[in-house]
C-alpha cells in the first residue's frame, strides 16, 4: 500500500509541506468548509494515480500551465508484504522511476523503466497471473476528476469509446476467471472457422484431398485405399522379380562382352608396336651411325670392320629404296588401329549400357506413380474427414461449455457483485430500502460483455451513488488494491448516505489484499460539517492532508486568482 508521499513543490503558507502519511482504508484529502475549487484536491488524487503509473497528472494544469508549478518530482513509499520500497517519479521524465535505499530519498539505487515498474506493481499486488497490464486493471477504478462521471452507465470503461467487452474482460481477470472463459471462446471460434472452411471445400469440390462428405463415402474410400495398397505391393513384388532376372541376364552379357573385348585390345597393342617400328624406321631412328660403330669396336676390337660397314651401307641404301612401301605399311597399320579403337569403344559402350538398363520401363513407372498419387489422395481424404469429425465433436463440447459452464461462472460472479452492491446500498440507507443497481455479465460471440442497470432511477445522484457501489463491490470481491474517488462523484448524493459512505470507505481497512497489506481508498472531500457530526468525525479521523485557498493550497498558491498585475495588463490592452 502507499504509505508516504512528498514533493518539494508542495507548500503551505510559504513553507515546505511535511511528508504526507497514508494508512489502511480511507485516506481523505480534505478541502476547506467553503468547498473551494482549484486548491489541489483533484490534483492530489491525480498524483496518487501518477504514483501508480497513471498519466492524467502529466496533463494537469499544475504541470502544463505556465503560471502554475511546471515540472516537478513526486517522492513516495510503497509497502508490500511488510517491506517498504522508496521511489520517485519526475514529470519531466515520467517514463523512468528512480528507487532509493532509504526513506529520506537521498541515496538513489538506480532507475527502472515505467513498464518494468508497473510489472513490479502487478507482481507485488498479487496480479501477476492476470494476463494483462497493471493499468488495465487498476486504471478503471481511478476516478480522479469529473470526466470520470461520463462512465456512470458504463462503469468499466477505461476510455469513452472503449468496448464493454474490454471492460468486462478486465473485471474477469481481477476475478481470475478470464483465462478459462477466453480459452473456451477462442477455441470455439478457431474450431468453428476450420469446420466451416473444410465443409465449404467439400461442398465446392475445390480439392481432390478434401472431398468426403459422409461416413459411407469415408468407408468406401478406406476400402479403395486397402485395394490400392494391395495392388501396389503386387506390382512391387513383380517388378522386383523382373528386375532381378534382367540383372542376371545383364551380368552374363557383360561377361561375354568383356571376353570379346580382350583380343581386340591385344590386337590393338600389337598394331601399335608395328606402327612404332615403321615410324622409327621412316624417321631414321633405327640407323647405325659411325659413332655407334666406334663405341662397338671399343668392346669388340677383333670384329670385322670392313664387313660391318659394308652391311650398314647397304642397309641405309635399302631404307631409302623402301620408303614408299614403309609409308603404305604405316597407313595400313593406322587404318587397322582406328577400326580396332572404334570397335573397342562400341564394345565398352555396350557394357556400360547394360549396367544402366536394369530399371523400370516407362509404362511400369507411370503406373506405379499413379498408384502412389491415388494412395496419397485417399489417405488425405480419410484423414481430413476424420479430423473434421473430431473438430465437430470438439465444437459441440465447446458449445456446451459456452451454454452451460461459462454462464454458470458468469452467474456466480454477477451474483457476487450484486450481493455486495446490495449490502453496501443497505449500509448507505440503513433506515429505508432504496433501489440498488444491477450488474450483469453477458456471454457474447466476441467475448463477454456486461450491462449496468440503474433500474429506473436515472437521476444524477442515483447514478453517482450506483457507480460508488459498484467500485466498492469490486474492491470487496477481487484483489483490486485501491480506489481513487474524486469528490465530484458524491456532489449530487444526499448528505445522509454520504456520511454512511465515509464509514463504508473506512471499513475497507479490514479487507485483505494479495500484497499482504490492507486495501486503501483515496478520497477528496470538503465541507464535512455540512454532512453532519458523523461525517466530520470520520473526516478528522481519516484526513491525510488539509487544503485551503491561496497559500494553503497544495502548492502554496492558486493560479486561477487574478492578481493586480493581471488587472493592470488587462486595462492596458483595452486602451
Amino acid at each position: 500500500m502507499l504509505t508516504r508521499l512528498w514533493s518539494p513543490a508542495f507548500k503551505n503558507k510559504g513553507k515546505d509541506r511535511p511528508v504526507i502519511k497514508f494508512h489502511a482504508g480511507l485516506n481523505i484529502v480534505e478541502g476547506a468548509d467553503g468547498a473551494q475549487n482549484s486548491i489541489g484536491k483533484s490534483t492530489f488524487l491525480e498524483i496518487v494515480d501518477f504514483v501508480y503509473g497513471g498519466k492524467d497528472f502529466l496533463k494537469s494544469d499544475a504541470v502544463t500551465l505556465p503560471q502554475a508549478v511546471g515540472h516537478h518530482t513526486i517522492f513516495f513509499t510503497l509497502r508490500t508484504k511488510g517491506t517498504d520500497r522508496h521511489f520517485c517519479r519526475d514529470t519531466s521524465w515520467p517514463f523512468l522511476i528512480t528507487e532509493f535505499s532509504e526513506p529520506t530519498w537521498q541515496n538513489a539505487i538506480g532507475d527502472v523503466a515505467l513498464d518494468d515498474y508497473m510489472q513490479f506493481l502487478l507482481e507485488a499486488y498479487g496480479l501477476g497471473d492476470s494476463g494483462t497490464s497493471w493499468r488495465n486493471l487498476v486504471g478503471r477504478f481511478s476516478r480522479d476528476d469529473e470526466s470520470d462521471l461520463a462512465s456512470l452507465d458504463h462503469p468499466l470503461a477505461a476510455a469513452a469509446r472503449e468496448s464493454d467487452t474490454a471492460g468486462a474482460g478486465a473485471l474477469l481477470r481481477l476475478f481470475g476467471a478470464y483465462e478459462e472463459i477466453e480459452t473456451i471462446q477462442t477455441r470455439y471460434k478457431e474450431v468453428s472457422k476450420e469446420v466451416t472452411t473444410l465443409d465449404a471445400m467439400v461442398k465446392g469440390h475445390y480439392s481432390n484431398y478434401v472431398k468426403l462428405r459422409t461416413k459411407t463415402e469415408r468407408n468406401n474410400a478406406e476400402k479403395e485405399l486397402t485395394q490400392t495398397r494391395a495392388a501396389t505391393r503386387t506390382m512391387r513384388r513383380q517388378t522386383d522379380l523382373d528386375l532381378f532376372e534382367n540383372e542376371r541376364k545383364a551380368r552374363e552379357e557383360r561377361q561375354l562382352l568383356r571376353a570379346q573385348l580382350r583380343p581386340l585390345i591385344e590386337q590393338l597393342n600389337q598394331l601399335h608396336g608395328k606402327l612404332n617400328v615403321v615410324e622409327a624406321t621412316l624417321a631414321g631412328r633405327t640407323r647405325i651411325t659411325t659413332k655407334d660403330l666406334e663405341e662397338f669396336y671399343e668392346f669388340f676390337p677383333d670384329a670385322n670392320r670392313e664387313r660391318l660397314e659394308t652391311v650398314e651401307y647397304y642397309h641405309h641404301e635399302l631404307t631409302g629404296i623402301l620408303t614408299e612401301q614403309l609409308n603404305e605399311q604405316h597407313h595400313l597399320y593406322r587404318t587397322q588401329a582406328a577400326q580396332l579403337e572404334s570397335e573397342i569403344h562400341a564394345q565398352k559402350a555396350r557394357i556400360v549400357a547394360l549396367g544402366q538398363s536394369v530399371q523400370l520401363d516407362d509404362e511400369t513407372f507411370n503406373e506405379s506413380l499413379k498408384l502412389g498419387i491415388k494412395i496419397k489422395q485417399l489417405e488425405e481424404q480419410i484423414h481430413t474427414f476424420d479430423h473434421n469429425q473430431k473438430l465437430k465433436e470438439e465444437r459441440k463440447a465447446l458449445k456446451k461449455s459456452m451454454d452451460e459452464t461459462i454462464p454458470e461462472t458468469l452467474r456466480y460472479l454477477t451474483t457476487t457483485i450484486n450481493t455486495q452492491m446490495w449490502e453496501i446500498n443497505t449500509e448507505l440507507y440503513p433506515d429505508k430500502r432504496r433501489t440498488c443497481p444491477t450488474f450483469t455479465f453477458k456471454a457474447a460471440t466476441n467475448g463477454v460483455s456486461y450491462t449496468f442497470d440503474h433500474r429506473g432511477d436515472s437521476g444524477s445522484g442515483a447514478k453517482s451513488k450506483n457507480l460508488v457501489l459498484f467500485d466498492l463491490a469490486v474492491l470487496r470481491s477481487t484483489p483490486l488494491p485501491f480506489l481513487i474517488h474524486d469528490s465530484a462523484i458524491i456532489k449530487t448524493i444526499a448528505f445522509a448516505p454520504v456520511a454512511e459512505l465515509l464509514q463504508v470507505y473506512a471499513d475497507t481497512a479490514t479487507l485483505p489484499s494479495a500484497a499482504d497489506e490492507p486495501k486503501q481508498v483515496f478520497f477528496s472531500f470538503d465541507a464535512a460539517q455540512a454532512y453532519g457530526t458523523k461525517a466530520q468525525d470520520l473526516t478528522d479521523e481519516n484526513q491525510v492532508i488539509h487544503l485551503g485557498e491561496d497559500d494553503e493550497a497544495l502548492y502554496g498558491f492558486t493560479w486561477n486568482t487574478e492578481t493586480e498585475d493581471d488587472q493592470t495588463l488587462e486595462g492596458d490592452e483595452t486602451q
Side-chain angles (χ1 to χ4, degrees):
M1 69 177 188
L2 178 64
T3 60
R4 300 162 71 242
L5 188 145
W6 176 77
S7 174
F10 295 164
K11 305 292 183 182
N12 184 23
K13 297 181 179 180
K15 297 181 180 180
D16 290 346
R17 287 185 178 274
V19 174
I20 301 159
K21 297 180 180 180
F22 300 90
H23 47 258
L26 178 60
N27 295 268
I28 293 179
V29 182
E30 186 184 12
D33 290 336
Q36 294 89 345
N37 293 319
S38 302
I39 60 176
K41 299 191 306 296
S42 296
T43 300
F44 190 85
L45 294 183
E46 288 177 344
I47 291 172
V48 173
D49 183 59
F50 185 66
V51 163
Y52 284 112
K55 298 178 181 179
D56 290 348
F57 180 53
L58 298 173
K59 299 178 289 184
S60 68
D61 291 346
V63 176
T64 60
L65 292 182
Q67 71 270 30
V69 184
H71 287 299
H72 54 288
T73 304
I74 304 299
F75 297 86
F76 56 95
T77 298
L78 296 176
R79 180 176 299 157
T80 59
K81 299 185 183 300
T83 301
D84 286 345
R85 301 279 293 271
H86 312 286
F87 303 94
C88 81
R89 188 181 181 194
D90 194 324
T91 59
S92 62
W93 295 91
F95 46 83
L96 287 179
I97 307 296
T98 302
E99 184 171 5
F100 297 84
S101 60
E102 36 66 51
T104 60
W105 300 290
Q106 296 297 317
N107 299 315
I109 298 174
D111 296 329
V112 295
L114 178 61
D115 288 344
D116 293 335
Y117 168 71
M118 288 194 288
Q119 184 61 36
F120 152 72
L121 294 177
L122 201 67
E123 299 289 342
Y125 282 96
L127 298 170
D129 295 330
S130 61
T132 188
S133 69
W134 165 255
R135 292 302 302 180
N136 186 43
L137 298 176
V138 305
R140 301 171 189 279
F141 303 94
S142 180
R143 310 186 192 278
D144 50 30
D145 60 39
E146 294 185 7
S147 64
D148 292 303
L149 295 178
S151 61
L152 291 176
D153 296 323
H154 301 274
L156 288 171
R161 297 181 180 178
E162 186 183 50
S163 68
D164 289 341
T165 301
L171 182 54
L172 288 172
R173 290 183 187 278
L174 279 172
F175 274 112
Y178 182 82
E179 185 176 357
E180 179 184 4
I181 294 174
E182 182 190 41
T183 299
I184 294 173
Q185 291 183 326
T186 301
R187 182 58 183 164
Y188 179 78
K189 294 177 188 176
E190 294 173 351
V191 170
S192 296
K193 183 178 180 180
E194 189 171 355
V195 167
T196 300
T197 301
L198 291 175
D199 286 346
M201 290 181 70
V202 171
K203 185 177 181 180
H205 306 287
Y206 298 125
S207 172
N208 288 328
Y209 295 91
V210 185
K211 61 184 299 183
L212 304 181
R213 294 171 297 178
T214 64
K215 185 68 172 179
T216 300
E217 290 182 356
R218 190 258 183 219
N219 293 338
N220 291 337
E222 189 166 29
K223 291 178 183 178
E224 188 176 0
L225 176 61
T226 301
Q227 294 170 357
T228 306
R229 285 172 173 168
T232 302
R233 287 194 295 270
T234 300
M235 174 178 283
R236 286 176 179 172
R237 283 197 299 269
Q238 186 59 46
T239 300
D240 289 343
L241 291 174
D242 292 343
L243 290 176
F244 176 79
E245 182 62 22
N246 290 339
E247 172 65 17
R248 185 188 65 78
K249 291 179 179 180
R251 287 184 180 182
E252 291 179 353
E253 192 169 350
R254 282 198 298 271
Q255 291 174 355
L256 177 61
L257 290 174
R258 288 194 183 101
Q260 294 172 351
L261 182 63
R262 291 190 192 99
L264 294 176
I265 294 174
E266 290 175 359
Q267 292 178 40
L268 181 62
N269 290 336
Q270 291 175 2
L271 274 175
H272 283 159
K274 293 177 180 180
L275 270 171
N276 290 336
V277 172
V278 171
E279 289 173 351
T281 301
L282 288 172
R285 293 194 301 272
T286 60
R287 298 174 183 174
I288 300 175
T289 64
T290 302
K291 183 179 179 181
D292 295 332
L293 290 174
E294 288 298 331
E295 292 177 354
F296 177 77
Y297 294 149
E298 288 182 8
F299 290 97
F300 303 97
D302 296 331
N304 189 337
R305 300 180 62 166
E306 181 178 356
R307 185 175 180 81
L308 287 172
E309 290 174 1
T310 299
V311 170
E312 184 59 24
Y313 168 78
Y314 283 110
H315 181 262
H316 289 171
E317 290 296 322
L318 182 62
T319 300
I321 294 171
L322 296 177
T323 298
E324 185 176 351
Q325 288 85 345
L326 287 171
N327 283 331
E328 291 178 358
Q329 191 69 35
H330 180 265
H331 177 71
L332 176 62
Y333 287 161
R334 289 294 302 269
T335 301
Q336 292 175 345
Q339 292 175 348
L340 282 171
E341 287 174 349
S342 177
E343 190 173 348
I344 289 171
H345 178 75
Q347 192 79 341
K348 288 182 176 179
R350 285 191 288 273
I351 293 173
V352 172
L354 282 172
Q356 297 175 345
S357 63
V358 184
Q359 55 186 340
L360 292 177
D361 58 86
D362 290 343
E363 182 179 356
T364 304
F365 177 80
N366 290 334
E367 182 63 25
S368 176
L369 183 62
K370 290 179 182 178
L371 290 174
I373 293 174
K374 189 174 184 179
I375 288 173
K376 181 64 176 176
Q377 287 180 343
L378 290 169
E379 287 177 341
E380 284 298 319
Q381 289 171 9
I382 294 170
H383 170 74
T384 303
F385 179 85
D386 291 345
H387 177 63
N388 198 16
Q389 292 303 114
K390 289 180 180 178
L391 288 175
K392 290 178 178 179
E393 293 174 3
E394 183 181 1
R395 182 178 62 177
K396 183 178 179 181
L398 290 168
K399 186 63 167 62
K400 183 177 181 181
S401 294
M402 291 179 64
D403 292 341
E404 298 178 5
T405 304
I406 292 179
E408 182 179 350
T409 300
L410 296 181
R411 280 193 297 271
Y412 171 77
L413 299 179
T414 294
T415 300
T416 299
I417 294 175
N418 287 329
T419 299
Q420 289 293 339
M421 286 198 297
W422 182 85
E423 290 179 358
I424 298 168
N425 193 56
T426 301
E427 293 175 37
L428 298 188
Y429 301 95
D431 299 327
K432 54 184 175 179
R433 294 176 60 86
R434 293 296 296 266
T435 302
C436 185
T438 301
F439 175 88
T440 306
F441 277 119
K442 297 193 306 178
T445 55
N446 61 337
V448 175
S449 183
Y450 73 94
T451 60
F452 192 62
D453 185 4
H454 296 286
R455 297 181 61 199
D457 197 349
S458 58
S460 60
K463 285 188 174 183
S464 295
K465 179 260 298 181
N466 291 343
L467 179 65
V468 173
L469 293 180
F470 176 77
D471 284 358
L472 284 167
V474 173
L475 188 69
R476 287 184 175 185
S477 306
T478 73
L480 181 70
F482 62 85
L483 294 177
I484 298 177
H485 280 178
D486 187 77
S487 58
I489 294 178
I490 55 94
K491 289 294 186 183
T492 56
I493 303 176
F495 284 5
V498 169
E500 300 299 334
L501 174 62
L502 293 178
Q503 184 62 59
V504 174
Y505 278 150
D507 291 343
T508 60
T510 62
L511 297 177
S513 76
D516 294 334
E517 297 293 338
K519 295 188 177 187
Q520 293 176 293
V521 174
F522 303 96
F523 180 57
S524 65
F525 190 49
D526 50 27
Q529 290 182 350
Y531 291 87
T533 303
K534 182 175 182 178
Q536 183 64 63
D537 292 343
L538 286 169
T539 300
D540 293 342
E541 182 180 348
N542 293 282
Q543 176 209 104
V544 295
I545 185 173
H546 183 278
L547 302 176
E549 285 190 302
D550 299 326
D551 59 359
E552 292 184 352
L554 178 62
Y555 293 100
F557 71 103
T558 56
W559 43 87
N560 67 337
T561 302
E562 192 176 67
T563 64
E564 293 182 2
D565 291 339
D566 294 329
Q567 294 173 351
T568 301
L569 180 61
E570 183 178 350
D572 292 340
E573 290 176 349
T574 59
Q575 292 177 0

